[in-house]
Amino acid sequence: MIQSSLTSKCRTTLPKAVRDALAVSPGDRLRYVILENNEVRILPAKPVSRLFGYLRYDGPEVSLQDMDNAIAEGACDL
């Protein structure tokens, strides 16, 4: 089990093993999720800009009108 202590200002240093597991470095932001059983999960807060390029489309270009039509057709199928 990995532990760290709090300073008088309630600050702590994430141990290296935790930083490595979260793949974070100085300047990165963290999110804290408090669960019902008073456990806390620490997650890296990834900026939306890091998602750029995750979804690739290799097909032909599609116009906004084509997209609107596809959405309307999908809504009618519900």
Side-chain angles (χ1 to χ4, degrees):
M1 178 169 45
I2 302 168
Q3 296 182 356
S4 65
S5 59
L6 291 176
T7 67
S8 61
K9 293 186 178 185
C10 290
R11 296 178 181 178
T12 190
T13 299
L14 290 176
K16 183 172 180 350
V18 175
R19 293 191 310 265
D20 290 345
L22 295 174
V24 295
S25 56
D28 288 348
R29 299 185 62 82
L30 301 172
R31 292 187 311 143
Y32 300 89
V33 180
I34 301 173
L35 304 174
E36 290 181 15
N37 57 0
N38 289 330
E39 289 184 16
V40 177
R41 291 194 181 173
I42 302 173
L43 305 167
K46 305 290 186 189
V48 174
S49 61
R50 293 182 76 177
L51 297 176
F52 181 78
Y54 268 66
L55 300 176
R56 299 218 185 269
Y57 177 70
D58 294 329
E61 289 188 23
V62 180
S63 71
L64 289 176
Q65 185 61 46
D66 291 338
M67 288 184 224
D68 288 340
N69 292 342
I71 292 168
E73 288 174 19
C76 292
D77 291 341
L78 297 177

